Amino acid sequence: MESFLIKGGVPLHGEVTVSGSKNAALPIMAAALLTGEPCVIRRVPDLSDTRFMAQILKSLGAEARFEGGTLTIRARNIRGYADYELVRKMRGSICIAGPLLGRLRRARVSLPGGCVIGARPINLHLKGFAALGARIEIEGGYIDAAAKKLTGSTMFLGGRAGSTVLGTANVMMAAALAEGVTIIESAACEPEVVDLAKFLTAMGAKISGAGSPTLTVTGVEKLHGAEHDVIPDRIETATFAIAAAATGGEVTIRQARAEHLRAVIDKLTEAGVSVRPRGGGLAVRRDRNLRAADVTTLPYAGFPTDVQAQMMSLLALAPGISIITERIFESRFMHVSELARLGADIEIEGPSAIVKGGRPLSGAPVMASDLRASAALVIAGLAAKGATQVNRIYHLDRGYEKMDAKLRKLGARIQRVQEK
Ligand code: EPU
């Protein structure tokens, strides 16, 4: 297994370009299953998760070719069965269920199971499929969704923590080939859902309201091939912005879209970080001394759960008490005990982490537990004095394209080494 060896304490300076969004690319890749014609998807980040999704599509019978960030997918003849060995490795792969149901009227997909950040139920996906007229059975760890005919209907897809991103994506994809009009209330408003709607529209789907809580899909008989450019990754953007702030540097982030990051920019500003538009991107600089700030994760346009861990690393450096409340995934605090190994003083109280910030961090070996927790540990390691070894960075490679190379370009002393 590989690790990052970081010699911290160097302020990051320079320019970095963000890659295409992982969480936009994954459902868009799945959407290519809705047609037998070729789809060309550009700016697909080269990550283990996107490669894995391509492998899943191939296992279903599609052709998928990845060349310099452009993925060409052709799903001429496909089957509607995805087994546990594939699905369990990446929970995001559940978004193949909607397109399979839409195209084949049958999807037999393994239940993904929980993971380290929380339970990851899919009851809302199934509620949506059932509302379209699918008969759902769960047997032997598989969901079997089948329908002679899919019929549009009005449904409410809000759950315990609000809307569901992949649930909305799944139902929108199935509804694109249903008969009649589907209205999804409490639909997810994330930019990744909007990007998927844009791709589906390019394929011939009729969708309105994407980006709002009421999403309307008017079913069509057939979809055709299309081309698409995936949006820049807002979570990667936030991660580099926080890394720049945590190290006291100044970084210009190219391709960054401020309109996707209002809540993050607002909290960074409150914490004493300057974020300004520059040359089609964003310039991030730590202006003043860092200040404590309270953060609560929420569905979009609230503060993203996928940036909670990274923000915690920054607030651990800010003198004063910051309260970080996680409202999306109940156990997404695995990074807390690892940050403590670097000297951070953080206590968990129910859904909140109380960060007593301002203590100097010093390097130590730490263990990455999930994708965003890994990014938080890298940020803390970059800001800490001395050497930090972040182990198990395969988590990080799932969602960040060439993070070590990008950080080195900004002056960071970071090397990929074999874990000892
Ligand atoms: N939920 C339900 N029932 C459902 C579906 C979700 O109760 O049927 C709950 C979840 O347990 C959670 C909340 O609803 O409490 C939101 O989950 P959501 O369904 O929105 O998450 P997701 O679609 O499975 C995507 C991203 C995650 C990101 C979340 C929230 C992809 C591939 N994954 O997951 O990304 O954290 O939305 O924004 O798009 C990551 O990139 O590190 C990552 C985990």
mmCIF file of all heavy atoms in Angstrom, residues 13-49:
data_model
loop_
_atom_site.group_PDB
_atom_site.id
_atom_site.type_symbol
_atom_site.label_atom_id
_atom_site.label_comp_id
_atom_site.label_asym_id
_atom_site.label_seq_id
_atom_site.Cartn_x
_atom_site.Cartn_y
_atom_site.Cartn_z
ATOM 1 N N HIS A 13 2.169 28.112 -2.773
ATOM 2 C CA HIS A 13 2.115 29.275 -3.657
ATOM 3 C C HIS A 13 2.023 28.825 -5.101
ATOM 4 O O HIS A 13 2.648 27.841 -5.470
ATOM 5 C CB HIS A 13 3.390 30.131 -3.497
ATOM 6 C CG HIS A 13 3.314 31.019 -2.305
ATOM 7 N ND1 HIS A 13 2.583 32.179 -2.278
ATOM 8 C CD2 HIS A 13 3.855 30.882 -1.065
ATOM 9 C CE1 HIS A 13 2.680 32.724 -1.075
ATOM 10 N NE2 HIS A 13 3.444 31.961 -0.317
ATOM 11 N N GLY A 14 1.267 29.573 -5.910
ATOM 12 C CA GLY A 14 1.238 29.290 -7.345
ATOM 13 C C GLY A 14 -0.159 29.009 -7.851
ATOM 14 O O GLY A 14 -1.143 29.474 -7.273
ATOM 15 N N GLU A 15 -0.215 28.241 -8.940
ATOM 16 C CA GLU A 15 -1.494 27.990 -9.615
ATOM 17 C C GLU A 15 -1.755 26.499 -9.721
ATOM 18 O O GLU A 15 -0.842 25.719 -9.964
ATOM 19 C CB GLU A 15 -1.419 28.522 -11.050
ATOM 20 C CG GLU A 15 -1.529 30.009 -11.131
ATOM 21 C CD GLU A 15 -1.497 30.482 -12.577
ATOM 22 O OE1 GLU A 15 -1.572 29.622 -13.499
ATOM 23 O OE2 GLU A 15 -1.389 31.695 -12.755
ATOM 24 N N VAL A 16 -3.015 26.160 -9.572
ATOM 25 C CA VAL A 16 -3.385 24.749 -9.719
ATOM 26 C C VAL A 16 -4.686 24.704 -10.531
ATOM 27 O O VAL A 16 -5.499 25.621 -10.448
ATOM 28 C CB VAL A 16 -3.540 24.097 -8.315
ATOM 29 C CG1 VAL A 16 -4.649 24.726 -7.498
ATOM 30 C CG2 VAL A 16 -3.754 22.597 -8.404
ATOM 31 N N THR A 17 -4.834 23.665 -11.336
ATOM 32 C CA THR A 17 -6.067 23.532 -12.133
ATOM 33 C C THR A 17 -6.874 22.368 -11.593
ATOM 34 O O THR A 17 -6.338 21.259 -11.445
ATOM 35 C CB THR A 17 -5.712 23.282 -13.617
ATOM 36 O OG1 THR A 17 -4.901 24.370 -14.043
ATOM 37 C CG2 THR A 17 -6.957 23.218 -14.489
ATOM 38 N N VAL A 18 -8.157 22.622 -11.304
ATOM 39 C CA VAL A 18 -8.967 21.518 -10.785
ATOM 40 C C VAL A 18 -9.421 20.615 -11.936
ATOM 41 O O VAL A 18 -9.585 21.053 -13.070
ATOM 42 C CB VAL A 18 -10.202 21.963 -9.972
ATOM 43 C CG1 VAL A 18 -9.825 22.452 -8.603
ATOM 44 C CG2 VAL A 18 -11.041 22.961 -10.699
ATOM 45 N N SER A 19 -9.643 19.362 -11.607
ATOM 46 C CA SER A 19 -10.078 18.360 -12.586
ATOM 47 C C SER A 19 -11.596 18.370 -12.688
ATOM 48 O O SER A 19 -12.272 19.072 -11.950
ATOM 49 C CB SER A 19 -9.595 16.985 -12.133
ATOM 50 O OG SER A 19 -8.195 16.990 -11.987
ATOM 51 N N GLY A 20 -12.099 17.546 -13.596
ATOM 52 C CA GLY A 20 -13.552 17.373 -13.697
ATOM 53 C C GLY A 20 -14.079 16.722 -12.430
ATOM 54 O O GLY A 20 -13.345 16.026 -11.719
ATOM 55 N N SER A 21 -15.349 16.944 -12.161
ATOM 56 C CA SER A 21 -15.946 16.475 -10.910
ATOM 57 C C SER A 21 -16.186 14.962 -10.913
ATOM 58 O O SER A 21 -16.867 14.440 -11.795
ATOM 59 C CB SER A 21 -17.269 17.207 -10.711
ATOM 60 O OG SER A 21 -18.097 16.493 -9.831
ATOM 61 N N LYS A 22 -15.654 14.303 -9.900
ATOM 62 C CA LYS A 22 -15.893 12.864 -9.751
ATOM 63 C C LYS A 22 -17.386 12.584 -9.603
ATOM 64 O O LYS A 22 -17.930 11.715 -10.268
ATOM 65 C CB LYS A 22 -15.157 12.348 -8.513
ATOM 66 C CG LYS A 22 -15.630 10.983 -8.027
ATOM 67 C CD LYS A 22 -14.909 10.514 -6.789
ATOM 68 C CE LYS A 22 -15.489 10.977 -5.487
ATOM 69 N NZ LYS A 22 -16.650 10.203 -4.996
ATOM 70 N N ASN A 23 -18.037 13.331 -8.720
ATOM 71 C CA ASN A 23 -19.435 13.011 -8.412
ATOM 72 C C ASN A 23 -20.408 13.444 -9.504
ATOM 73 O O ASN A 23 -21.564 13.037 -9.508
ATOM 74 C CB ASN A 23 -19.827 13.592 -7.050
ATOM 75 C CG ASN A 23 -19.150 12.840 -5.916
ATOM 76 O OD1 ASN A 23 -18.562 11.785 -6.134
ATOM 77 N ND2 ASN A 23 -19.199 13.393 -4.722
ATOM 78 N N ALA A 24 -19.944 14.271 -10.439
ATOM 79 C CA ALA A 24 -20.744 14.527 -11.635
ATOM 80 C C ALA A 24 -20.460 13.429 -12.658
ATOM 81 O O ALA A 24 -21.371 12.906 -13.304
ATOM 82 C CB ALA A 24 -20.436 15.900 -12.217
ATOM 83 N N ALA A 25 -19.186 13.058 -12.801
ATOM 84 C CA ALA A 25 -18.808 12.089 -13.835
ATOM 85 C C ALA A 25 -19.455 10.716 -13.625
ATOM 86 O O ALA A 25 -19.903 10.087 -14.590
ATOM 87 C CB ALA A 25 -17.283 11.945 -13.885
ATOM 88 N N LEU A 26 -19.537 10.263 -12.366
ATOM 89 C CA LEU A 26 -20.018 8.886 -12.137
ATOM 90 C C LEU A 26 -21.456 8.667 -12.633
ATOM 91 O O LEU A 26 -21.693 7.760 -13.439
ATOM 92 C CB LEU A 26 -19.865 8.498 -10.655
ATOM 93 C CG LEU A 26 -18.415 8.386 -10.161
ATOM 94 C CD1 LEU A 26 -18.382 8.123 -8.654
ATOM 95 C CD2 LEU A 26 -17.658 7.272 -10.888
ATOM 96 N N PRO A 27 -22.439 9.499 -12.219
ATOM 97 C CA PRO A 27 -23.796 9.269 -12.767
ATOM 98 C C PRO A 27 -23.897 9.575 -14.263
ATOM 99 O O PRO A 27 -24.707 8.945 -14.961
ATOM 100 C CB PRO A 27 -24.693 10.211 -11.950
ATOM 101 C CG PRO A 27 -23.805 11.085 -11.162
ATOM 102 C CD PRO A 27 -22.446 10.482 -11.130
ATOM 103 N N ILE A 28 -23.070 10.496 -14.751
ATOM 104 C CA ILE A 28 -23.116 10.787 -16.197
ATOM 105 C C ILE A 28 -22.628 9.556 -16.982
ATOM 106 O O ILE A 28 -23.200 9.196 -18.017
ATOM 107 C CB ILE A 28 -22.293 12.055 -16.514
ATOM 108 C CG1 ILE A 28 -23.064 13.287 -16.011
ATOM 109 C CG2 ILE A 28 -21.975 12.169 -18.005
ATOM 110 C CD1 ILE A 28 -22.314 14.593 -16.064
ATOM 111 N N MET A 29 -21.592 8.899 -16.455
ATOM 112 C CA MET A 29 -21.132 7.668 -17.104
ATOM 113 C C MET A 29 -22.256 6.629 -17.107
ATOM 114 O O MET A 29 -22.500 5.955 -18.107
ATOM 115 C CB MET A 29 -19.907 7.114 -16.366
ATOM 116 C CG MET A 29 -18.651 7.952 -16.559
ATOM 117 S SD MET A 29 -17.311 7.432 -15.448
ATOM 118 C CE MET A 29 -16.886 5.832 -16.166
ATOM 119 N N ALA A 30 -22.960 6.522 -15.965
ATOM 120 C CA ALA A 30 -24.062 5.550 -15.879
ATOM 121 C C ALA A 30 -25.177 5.904 -16.863
ATOM 122 O O ALA A 30 -25.820 5.023 -17.440
ATOM 123 C CB ALA A 30 -24.605 5.502 -14.448
ATOM 124 N N ALA A 31 -25.385 7.200 -17.075
ATOM 125 C CA ALA A 31 -26.464 7.644 -17.963
ATOM 126 C C ALA A 31 -26.239 7.174 -19.400
ATOM 127 O O ALA A 31 -27.197 7.030 -20.172
ATOM 128 C CB ALA A 31 -26.593 9.161 -17.920
ATOM 129 N N ALA A 32 -24.974 6.913 -19.756
ATOM 130 C CA ALA A 32 -24.685 6.432 -21.113
ATOM 131 C C ALA A 32 -25.330 5.072 -21.368
ATOM 132 O O ALA A 32 -25.465 4.641 -22.524
ATOM 133 C CB ALA A 32 -23.172 6.374 -21.332
ATOM 134 N N LEU A 33 -25.746 4.387 -20.279
ATOM 135 C CA LEU A 33 -26.436 3.095 -20.435
ATOM 136 C C LEU A 33 -27.829 3.266 -21.020
ATOM 137 O O LEU A 33 -28.464 2.288 -21.429
ATOM 138 C CB LEU A 33 -26.570 2.395 -19.066
ATOM 139 C CG LEU A 33 -25.291 1.915 -18.393
ATOM 140 C CD1 LEU A 33 -25.593 1.467 -16.960
ATOM 141 C CD2 LEU A 33 -24.667 0.755 -19.187
ATOM 142 N N LEU A 34 -28.327 4.517 -21.025
ATOM 143 C CA LEU A 34 -29.706 4.755 -21.483
ATOM 144 C C LEU A 34 -29.855 4.714 -23.000
ATOM 145 O O LEU A 34 -30.964 4.793 -23.512
ATOM 146 C CB LEU A 34 -30.185 6.124 -20.959
ATOM 147 C CG LEU A 34 -30.530 6.186 -19.460
ATOM 148 C CD1 LEU A 34 -30.560 7.618 -18.961
ATOM 149 C CD2 LEU A 34 -31.858 5.497 -19.188
ATOM 150 N N THR A 35 -28.739 4.632 -23.718
ATOM 151 C CA THR A 35 -28.826 4.605 -25.183
ATOM 152 C C THR A 35 -27.827 3.602 -25.767
ATOM 153 O O THR A 35 -26.776 3.346 -25.170
ATOM 154 C CB THR A 35 -28.552 6.013 -25.779
ATOM 155 O OG1 THR A 35 -28.557 5.909 -27.204
ATOM 156 C CG2 THR A 35 -27.218 6.577 -25.353
ATOM 157 N N GLY A 36 -28.149 3.100 -26.927
ATOM 158 C CA GLY A 36 -27.218 2.215 -27.626
ATOM 159 C C GLY A 36 -26.224 2.997 -28.473
ATOM 160 O O GLY A 36 -25.287 2.434 -29.042
ATOM 161 N N GLU A 37 -26.439 4.301 -28.554
ATOM 162 C CA GLU A 37 -25.531 5.128 -29.383
ATOM 163 C C GLU A 37 -24.327 5.587 -28.573
ATOM 164 O O GLU A 37 -24.394 5.653 -27.348
ATOM 165 C CB GLU A 37 -26.306 6.351 -29.911
ATOM 166 C CG GLU A 37 -27.413 5.975 -30.872
ATOM 167 C CD GLU A 37 -28.153 7.200 -31.410
ATOM 168 O OE1 GLU A 37 -27.659 8.329 -31.261
ATOM 169 O OE2 GLU A 37 -29.241 7.005 -31.977
ATOM 170 N N PRO A 38 -23.236 5.964 -29.245
ATOM 171 C CA PRO A 38 -22.031 6.369 -28.498
ATOM 172 C C PRO A 38 -22.210 7.701 -27.766
ATOM 173 O O PRO A 38 -22.851 8.619 -28.286
ATOM 174 C CB PRO A 38 -20.953 6.515 -29.578
ATOM 175 C CG PRO A 38 -21.563 6.160 -30.860
ATOM 176 C CD PRO A 38 -23.020 5.926 -30.690
ATOM 177 N N CYS A 39 -21.642 7.788 -26.578
ATOM 178 C CA CYS A 39 -21.621 9.031 -25.800
ATOM 179 C C CYS A 39 -20.171 9.416 -25.564
ATOM 180 O O CYS A 39 -19.344 8.550 -25.250
ATOM 181 C CB CYS A 39 -22.299 8.820 -24.446
ATOM 182 S SG CYS A 39 -24.060 8.497 -24.607
ATOM 183 N N VAL A 40 -19.890 10.682 -25.714
ATOM 184 C CA VAL A 40 -18.516 11.169 -25.521
ATOM 185 C C VAL A 40 -18.528 12.111 -24.320
ATOM 186 O O VAL A 40 -19.190 13.142 -24.342
ATOM 187 C CB VAL A 40 -18.011 11.893 -26.785
ATOM 188 C CG1 VAL A 40 -16.603 12.439 -26.564
ATOM 189 C CG2 VAL A 40 -18.050 10.948 -27.984
ATOM 190 N N ILE A 41 -17.810 11.719 -23.280
ATOM 191 C CA ILE A 41 -17.811 12.515 -22.048
ATOM 192 C C ILE A 41 -16.393 13.042 -21.827
ATOM 193 O O ILE A 41 -15.454 12.260 -21.671
ATOM 194 C CB ILE A 41 -18.271 11.667 -20.845
ATOM 195 C CG1 ILE A 41 -19.561 10.912 -21.195
ATOM 196 C CG2 ILE A 41 -18.493 12.532 -19.620
ATOM 197 C CD1 ILE A 41 -19.886 9.787 -20.245
ATOM 198 N N ARG A 42 -16.292 14.361 -21.860
ATOM 199 C CA ARG A 42 -14.971 14.971 -21.702
ATOM 200 C C ARG A 42 -14.741 15.425 -20.264
ATOM 201 O O ARG A 42 -15.684 15.601 -19.524
ATOM 202 C CB ARG A 42 -14.826 16.170 -22.653
ATOM 203 C CG ARG A 42 -14.627 15.730 -24.105
ATOM 204 C CD ARG A 42 -14.457 16.936 -25.004
ATOM 205 N NE ARG A 42 -15.711 17.623 -25.161
ATOM 206 C CZ ARG A 42 -16.569 17.433 -26.164
ATOM 207 N NH1 ARG A 42 -16.298 16.568 -27.122
ATOM 208 N NH2 ARG A 42 -17.704 18.107 -26.217
ATOM 209 N N ARG A 43 -13.493 15.678 -19.949
ATOM 210 C CA ARG A 43 -13.056 16.108 -18.624
ATOM 211 C C ARG A 43 -13.503 15.125 -17.541
ATOM 212 O O ARG A 43 -13.960 15.505 -16.467
ATOM 213 C CB ARG A 43 -13.554 17.520 -18.310
ATOM 214 C CG ARG A 43 -12.659 18.192 -17.307
ATOM 215 C CD ARG A 43 -12.741 19.666 -17.282
ATOM 216 N NE ARG A 43 -14.095 20.148 -17.283
ATOM 217 C CZ ARG A 43 -14.439 21.405 -17.444
ATOM 218 N NH1 ARG A 43 -13.514 22.315 -17.604
ATOM 219 N NH2 ARG A 43 -15.684 21.777 -17.447
ATOM 220 N N VAL A 44 -13.335 13.835 -17.850
ATOM 221 C CA VAL A 44 -13.578 12.806 -16.834
ATOM 222 C C VAL A 44 -12.273 12.662 -16.053
ATOM 223 O O VAL A 44 -11.230 12.409 -16.641
ATOM 224 C CB VAL A 44 -13.951 11.453 -17.489
ATOM 225 C CG1 VAL A 44 -14.065 10.355 -16.448
ATOM 226 C CG2 VAL A 44 -15.253 11.592 -18.265
ATOM 227 N N PRO A 45 -12.299 12.856 -14.729
ATOM 228 C CA PRO A 45 -11.048 12.743 -13.992
ATOM 229 C C PRO A 45 -10.542 11.299 -13.995
ATOM 230 O O PRO A 45 -11.346 10.365 -13.935
ATOM 231 C CB PRO A 45 -11.424 13.194 -12.579
ATOM 232 C CG PRO A 45 -12.893 12.949 -12.469
ATOM 233 C CD PRO A 45 -13.453 13.152 -13.850
ATOM 234 N N ASP A 46 -9.227 11.146 -14.102
ATOM 235 C CA ASP A 46 -8.631 9.810 -14.115
ATOM 236 C C ASP A 46 -8.414 9.374 -12.663
ATOM 237 O O ASP A 46 -7.411 9.710 -12.038
ATOM 238 C CB ASP A 46 -7.303 9.850 -14.893
ATOM 239 C CG ASP A 46 -6.757 8.460 -15.115
ATOM 240 O OD1 ASP A 46 -7.415 7.481 -14.699
ATOM 241 O OD2 ASP A 46 -5.662 8.344 -15.703
ATOM 242 N N LEU A 47 -9.369 8.642 -12.151
ATOM 243 C CA LEU A 47 -9.372 8.260 -10.733
ATOM 244 C C LEU A 47 -9.693 6.787 -10.634
ATOM 245 O O LEU A 47 -10.295 6.227 -11.552
ATOM 246 C CB LEU A 47 -10.495 8.999 -9.997
ATOM 247 C CG LEU A 47 -10.504 10.510 -10.064
ATOM 248 C CD1 LEU A 47 -11.833 11.035 -9.556
ATOM 249 C CD2 LEU A 47 -9.358 11.043 -9.222
ATOM 250 N N SER A 48 -9.395 6.185 -9.496
ATOM 251 C CA SER A 48 -9.774 4.778 -9.399
ATOM 252 C C SER A 48 -11.302 4.639 -9.439
ATOM 253 O O SER A 48 -11.804 3.662 -9.987
ATOM 254 C CB SER A 48 -9.150 4.100 -8.182
ATOM 255 O OG SER A 48 -9.396 4.817 -7.027
ATOM 256 N N ASP A 49 -12.057 5.611 -8.917
ATOM 257 C CA ASP A 49 -13.525 5.494 -8.971
ATOM 258 C C ASP A 49 -14.076 5.565 -10.399
ATOM 259 O O ASP A 49 -14.995 4.821 -10.739
ATOM 260 C CB ASP A 49 -14.196 6.591 -8.124
ATOM 261 C CG ASP A 49 -14.442 6.136 -6.683
ATOM 262 O OD1 ASP A 49 -13.894 5.086 -6.293
ATOM 263 O OD2 ASP A 49 -15.174 6.839 -5.953
#
